[in-house]
Amino acid sequence: METLSRERAHGGEQVVCRHRSESTGTEMVFSVFVPPHAPGARLPVVWFLSGLSCTHANVTEKGEYRRVCAELGLVFVAPDTSPRGEGVPDDPDGAYDFGLGAGFYLDAVRAPFVEHYRMRRYVLDELPALIAAEFPVDLSRQGITGHSMGGHGALTLGLSNPNRFRAVSAFAPIVAPSQVPWGQKAFAGYLGSDRALWRRHDAVALIEDGARVPALLVDQGDADPFLTEQLRPELLREACAQAGIALTLRLQPGYTHSYYFVSSFMDDHLRWHAQRLG
């Protein structure tokens, strides 16, 4: 692991690192904020998954999470959104919603993406092991959140691993990718035509098929240009109501899809995670 930068912030450290990933077969960059803590302490960790066209840098530079993480004693980790580098296949038309920057937090099964696009394995297995070896985290206290495509990832990974993630939240997530253009394009490209496989990476479908967590927190801007076509939070509301999952879904007036929106409600989400992580 190579440290690219290390900066003092709110009494803790903001670190950006690069390493060679076995999961993706590429170099991957991630950021970690470590709050001030007593020597030898192991701290709860919140994973933040970013959205389409983003890298670790978007939330690191715009998320405004460090002050509250320092106050609450939370480690905050932001991985990249896809593999990158020479030989990594991209959308043939260079579109932002597939390929580089758009890994959708799944493991591809279709060529040519199967070789590198293994973001689910990377986020669930490889990166946590690396973080636990290099930083003072307690992997028995993990929460996960994310924005847009990353909100999709947070919901699906959280629902699929309820014993690992004790808190799950999302900002403007793609809640039912099987039913919207972004998800349909990605799933067809990475997973093929098997709709049963699609359901394993779709939060609404997972809930319909029996996945359960005690509670979810979701914030959504009501001025988000992607709200009605791509995000469709009402489908999550209906699925949670049917399943008895305690969903707090807040439509925030006047907010769009930007990091101005994410940063405005970051404090609420981190406090919500801290309450559940102890």
Side-chain angles (χ1 to χ4, degrees):
M1 190 183 74
E2 177 187 2
T3 300
L4 300 179
S5 67
R6 185 183 299 271
E7 296 288 346
R8 195 76 170 156
H10 295 278
E13 284 192 317
Q14 179 66 65
V15 187
V16 177
C17 301
R18 178 169 57 207
H19 73 114
R20 182 76 182 177
S21 168
E22 294 181 2
S23 301
T24 68
T26 66
E27 290 191 335
M28 297 292 285
V29 178
F30 62 90
S31 74
V32 183
F33 177 70
V34 181
H37 58 281
R42 308 295 286 185
L43 306 174
V45 56
V46 175
W47 303 88
F48 185 96
L49 306 184
S50 295
L52 291 168
S53 78
C54 292
T55 70
H56 73 283
N58 295 75
V59 71
T60 305
E61 296 170 3
K62 303 175 185 177
E64 300 182 20
Y65 55 84
R66 281 172 283 268
R67 178 185 58 81
V68 174
C69 283
E71 174 192 335
L72 300 174
L74 296 174
V75 174
F76 189 98
V77 181
D80 203 347
T81 52
S82 79
R84 301 177 192 272
E86 185 177 352
V88 176
D90 194 7
D91 186 281
D93 300 319
Y96 74 94
D97 57 359
F98 186 76
L100 297 181
F104 270 82
Y105 303 101
L106 52 77
D107 292 343
V109 299
R110 290 190 70 236
F113 303 99
V114 62
E115 182 179 355
H116 297 293
Y117 283 78
R118 295 192 288 263
M119 290 301 296
R120 181 183 177 92
R121 184 186 312 177
Y122 177 71
V123 170
L124 283 181
D125 299 325
E126 183 177 2
L127 188 56
L130 177 62
I131 294 293
E134 300 289 341
F135 297 95
V137 300
D138 177 0
L139 292 185
S140 71
R141 295 185 289 166
Q142 296 185 68
I144 191 166
T145 187
H147 173 229
S148 192
M149 179 189 69
H152 141 77
L155 293 177
T156 56
L157 297 184
L159 286 162
S160 301
N161 298 273
N163 295 326
R164 172 182 293 197
F165 299 110
R166 291 164 52 177
V168 183
S169 73
F171 301 84
I174 308 168
V175 304
S178 299
Q179 302 183 51
V180 302
W182 276 343
Q184 290 165 349
K185 177 180 179 178
F187 286 3
Y190 295 134
L191 303 175
S193 60
D194 184 354
R195 292 273 177 155
L197 184 55
W198 289 23
R199 295 185 70 83
R200 301 177 197 171
H201 304 284
D202 181 308
V204 167
L206 282 167
I207 293 170
E208 291 173 347
D209 293 345
R212 297 292 183 268
V213 291
L216 295 170
L217 171 63
V218 173
D219 274 297
Q220 171 67 63
D222 72 358
D224 190 322
F226 306 113
L227 178 60
T228 57
E229 183 181 20
Q230 304 283 11
L231 306 179
R232 304 194 62 187
E234 73 279 0
L235 298 178
L236 182 65
R237 180 190 288 116
E238 294 164 7
C240 287
Q242 291 273 343
I245 295 174
L247 169 66
T248 301
L249 173 58
R250 307 189 302 186
L251 283 176
Q252 303 292 359
Y255 284 90
T256 64
H257 201 67
S258 71
Y259 268 88
Y260 295 110
F261 156 68
V262 173
S263 63
S264 295
F265 302 100
M266 182 67 79
D267 285 18
D268 291 353
H269 282 246
L270 292 173
R271 294 186 189 283
W272 193 84
H273 281 261
Q275 289 174 357
R276 286 156 180 79
L277 298 180

